[in-house]
Amino acid sequence: MFSGINQLFVRLGDHPDLGKLLLRLTVGGLLLFHGEAKIIHGVGWIAHLLAVRGLPGFIAYGAYIGEVVAPVMVIVGLMTRPAALIIAINLVVATLLVKTGAFWDRTDVGAWALETEAFYLLGALTILLLGAGKYTLVRDMRLQ
């Protein structure tokens, strides 16, 4: 009985390329909202956080790359793996700048305080490991 149910789900759900597309659309699409906020409000506050830590403020402009350019690349499947790596690096830097010390914290509803950051970071790393799949504008180059 369990074997038959499992085989049914395998037949219905065995679409890894569609899963990769859904993951790319989810991570890239949701991250674009953060990029839109940077476009509307600027990155001056990020430059200030960097300056407080003794880092050059121009690094703040990397948020546009990590939250606008790279997510669009992930969505359309253009250089997906490098774009996913850029997103992952962006998330590590953003988390260190804004949420340092919150690793053990929880929200009022019991959620991990860093779960959004973890979702984007782990989603980007998963895209990096899986690649874009077949539903892209540009195919991943593979070594033969």
Side-chain angles (χ1 to χ4, degrees):
M1 179 172 122
F2 290 117
S3 176
I5 293 171
N6 187 51
Q7 287 179 5
L8 173 67
F9 277 93
V10 167
R11 281 194 310 274
L12 293 175
D14 190 20
H15 303 283
D17 289 313
L18 190 58
K20 291 174 186 179
L21 174 63
L22 183 59
L23 178 63
R24 288 185 5 244
L25 292 174
T26 302
V27 172
L30 291 176
L31 193 54
L32 275 176
F33 287 106
H34 295 266
E36 177 192 27
K38 305 297 185 301
I39 291 169
I40 293 170
H41 301 290
V43 293
W45 65 277
I46 300 171
H48 173 73
L49 290 174
L50 289 164
V52 167
R53 289 169 176 77
L55 297 168
F58 74 87
I59 296 173
Y61 291 98
Y64 292 122
I65 296 169
E67 296 180 17
V68 178
V69 177
V72 169
M73 291 172 68
V74 163
I75 289 168
V76 301
L78 176 65
M79 294 180 56
T80 306
R81 292 175 196 260
L85 178 61
I86 290 169
I87 290 171
I89 291 168
N90 181 71
L91 259 295
V92 169
V93 171
T95 302
L96 290 174
L97 279 177
V98 179
K99 299 269 185 127
T100 301
F103 188 82
W104 301 110
D105 295 347
R106 291 188 171 219
T107 67
D108 292 339
V109 296
W112 184 33
L114 298 177
E115 71 180 24
T116 302
E117 292 80 4
F119 166 77
Y120 288 121
L121 174 62
L122 296 174
L125 291 175
T126 302
I127 293 167
L128 173 68
L129 294 172
L130 292 175
K134 71 178 184 178
Y135 302 118
T136 66
L137 293 181
V138 179
R139 288 275 210 218
D140 283 341
M141 300 295 286
R142 298 221 182 249
L143 296 175
Q144 302 276 336

